[in-house]
Structures are given as C-alpha cells and as structure tokens.
Amino acid sequence: MHDYRMECEMSVTDELLANAQRYQAEFTRGDLPLPPARGVAVLACMDARLNPYGLLGLAEGDAHVIRNAGGVVTADELRSLAISQRLLGTREIVLIHHTDCGMLTFTDDGLKDSIAKETGVRPPWATEAFTDLDEDVRQSVRRILADPFLPVKDSVRGFVYDVRTGGLREVAPA
Amino acid sequence: MHDYRMECEMSVTDELLANAQRYQAEFTRGDLPLPPARGVAVLACMDARLNPYGLLGLAEGDAHVIRNAGGVVTADELRSLAISQRLLGTREIVLIHHTDCGMLTFTDDGLKDSIAKETGVRPPWATEAFTDLDEDVRQSVRRILADPFLPVKDSVRGFVYDVRTGGLREVAPA
C-alpha cells in the first residue's frame, strides 16, 4: 500500500540525500589528497545549466571549484583563491561566465530598492549585476590581477559558456 | 613526428579546454530554462574531492551551486542566495562542509600574519578558518537563518561530507 503522506512530505533535499546514499555505495576514491591534482581553481557562475565537471572533464580530486551569482570576483572569491593558491598550491585560474545569465536581468539599484521596499532594509552588499557579459569577464580577470594577495597570476583566463550550444569562448586576456 | 615544444607548453587549462570541446560535441541540453528545475541552492566547500553533481545526483539545469573556501556564509553567499531565491525561485538550501578540510589547518591570525609578512599588507577579509567542523556547519546555517533578505527558510539543512567514505551526515538543524 502506498504511504501518500510520506510521498507528499518528501522534499527535494530528501531526494538528493537518497542520491547521496547511492553515491556512497559506489564510492571508491577515499584515498584522494587534499591539494587539487590538476593545480587549477575554477571560478564560475552558480547557474544551474553550467556544470563545470561535465564541461571541463573534472573528476573528484582535480580542481577547486568556486561559484557565486554571476561568477564575479568580490572579497570572498579573493579569500578563496588566496587559500587555494597559498595553502593548496593551485597555479591556474579558469573564470567562467555564461550567456542568458540572471545577472543581466536586473540593475543593482532596482533589486536593492525592491528588497528595501519589502523588508525595510537595503542590503549592504552590491548585487554585482552587469550589462555587458564579455566586459564583466574582463572586469573579473582584472580584479584578480589587481589583487595583492594572490601569488600566482601567470594563467588567469576568462571564458563565456554558451548555454544554448554548450560551447566555451575565451574572452580574457584579450 | 611528435611536437615536443607544443607538448611542454600545454597548460592544464588548455587540457580542460580540450575536454570542453568534447562536451560541446555531445551537448544536447540547449533548451534548459534559467530557473533551477529542482528549486534547490547548494552551498558547499570548494574542495576538489567534493563533487556536488556526483554526490547529489545533479544534472545540468537542476540546482544553483555556490562554493567557496570552507563552504562558509559571508556577505557574498548571502547575495548569491538572495538572487537564487528572489529572482530564480529556489526554496531549499543544502549546505555542505567536509572532513579533512583545509580550513581546519590554519588560524585566521596565522594566515593573515604570514600574508602580511610576505606582501606588507594584511588582508582586509576574515579567512573564515574554523576548528570545529560540525559547529561551523551550524554557524553557517545560523547565518542563513539570521539573514533578513532571504524570503524562504523552511528547508535549510547542513551536512558534513566524509572524503574517506563518500558519506553525507546531517548536522543542522540538530
């Protein structure tokens, strides 16, 4: 007999946990070291359509993957990259934005005004919205190159991923 | 005949780009919409051994994935989560830290002192180093619950991934 109550109460998170149990059952890579084997840090947008593992052919143990709304570079990404390079030896940075990005659909003032109207408080952070995709990739690369705490800047390359074609186009350095 | 010069100059990034060309050649999901199909945002550590796609069974289009050193919650993760919920409709948050994390191997003052000694400048960011893994998961969940700009907090659950066993253990809410 079906337990309809259980079925209705099962959240998406519960479904993902069931997947995690399957992952553990087949898991064989308990021997991987802490430092990334490929010596690369990937910084990409959080977008659901952009899968850095599939796209770049990454496997467990290969690379640090840092992600946020837009794939932008703020203080927290510079913190993560500094830890990646200084403590765990990564030497190349791959930065990925993508077409049809949500960050192109609003303005900083517009979103912050609407949040302030609803909550009574204006967010203390910049939304990092942008209007020119390629230019924001270049801007992000420039923020990395300008940072005084990253020791290795020989390979900092920026790309746009096309969510329609699955293709990757290099934008920076240009 | 082998071109040894080309071989020596090929960076890891170049190898990943070759993988990206294979990904594009087999790409069939150019029809995915911008909002994540599963309505979930995953916030996880950048660690190379933690692969949220394999672990949670995520495919292209399913979920936002936000990552940084430690899987911690700073202003930039709250920005990304606000955009994820407010503009793209996600309703559940899955937070993942992991065993053997690099963030357990240093102290905030220790790392910042060493960077200041080398560069002459003390980083203006907190390193977010922690000493108690479970407690930092709970701290991260609490930072999310305390944020005034996130509209949906019904399902904010925190986990520790075991890099040796591949298992996922729920820590918060506890």
Side-chain angles (χ1 to χ4, degrees), chain A residues 13-15 19-20 30 38 48 53 56 61 67 69 76-77 79-80 86-87 92 106 118 126-127 157 164, chain B residues 13-15 19 30 38 48 53 56 61 67 69 76-77 79-80 86-87 92 106 118 126-127 157 164:
Chain A
T13 299
D14 288 323
E15 294 173 27
N19 293 341
R38 312 299 297 272
Y53 292 83
L56 302 176
R67 303 183 66 174
D76 197 54
E77 287 68 44
R79 173 188 73 86
S80 293
R86 290 178 172 277
L87 273 75
E92 298 181 34
F106 61 90
E118 181 193 315
T127 64
R157 294 166 65 180
R164 298 285 160 241
Chain B
T13 299
D14 288 323
E15 294 173 26
N19 293 340
R38 311 299 298 271
Y53 291 82
L56 301 175
R67 302 183 68 174
D76 197 54
E77 287 68 44
R79 173 188 72 85
S80 293
R86 290 178 173 278
L87 274 75
E92 298 180 35
F106 61 90
E118 180 193 317
T127 63
R157 295 166 65 180
R164 296 285 160 241

Side-chain angles (χ1 to χ4, degrees), chain A residues 37-69:
Chain A
R38 312 299 297 272
V40 172
V42 178
L43 169 51
C45 182
M46 70 178 180
D47 191 273
R49 298 162 297 179
L50 171 51
N51 170 0
Y53 292 83
L55 176 65
L56 302 176
L58 297 174
E60 280 78 349
D62 279 351
H64 283 147
V65 182
I66 301 160
R67 303 183 66 174
N68 63 50

Side-chain angles (χ1 to χ4, degrees), chain A residues 74 76 79, chain B residues 68 72-79 126 128 143:
Chain A
T74 75
D76 197 54
R79 173 188 73 86
Chain B
N68 63 52
V72 299
V73 176
T74 75
D76 197 54
E77 287 68 44
L78 295 171
R79 173 188 72 85
E128 300 288 339
R143 285 187 186 182

Side-chain angles (χ1 to χ4, degrees), chain B residues 25-156:
Chain B
E26 294 170 9
F27 185 75
T28 58
R29 304 306 312 276
D31 57 341
L32 293 169
L34 177 51
R38 311 299 298 271
V40 172
V42 177
L43 169 52
C45 182
M46 70 180 180
D47 191 273
R49 297 162 296 180
L50 172 51
N51 169 0
Y53 291 82
L55 176 64
L56 301 175
L58 298 174
E60 280 78 349
D62 279 350
H64 283 145
V65 182
I66 302 160
R67 302 183 68 174
N68 63 52
V72 299
V73 176
T74 75
D76 197 54
E77 287 68 44
L78 295 171
R79 173 188 72 85
S80 293
L81 289 169
I83 289 169
S84 177
Q85 292 198 344
R86 290 178 173 278
L87 274 75
L88 296 163
T90 62
R91 304 186 56 83
E92 298 180 35
I93 297 173
V94 175
L95 192 139
I96 308 177
H97 285 25
H98 63 92
T99 60
D100 194 38
C101 186
M103 304 299 286
L104 294 159
T105 65
F106 61 90
T107 64
D108 192 60
D109 274 337
L111 181 57
K112 291 171 79 164
D113 285 351
S114 94
I115 293 176
K117 194 171 172 184
E118 180 193 317
T119 66
V121 185
R122 196 174 169 87
W125 29 261
T127 63
E128 300 288 339
F130 47 79
T131 55
D132 183 326
L133 189 54
D134 288 19
E135 178 52 28
D136 202 71
V137 173
R138 287 189 285 268
Q139 176 62 222
S140 299
V141 167
R142 275 186 228 121
R143 285 187 186 182
I144 290 172
L145 297 178
D147 187 70
F149 308 116
L150 295 175
V152 189
K153 297 174 181 173
D154 307 320
S155 183
V156 182

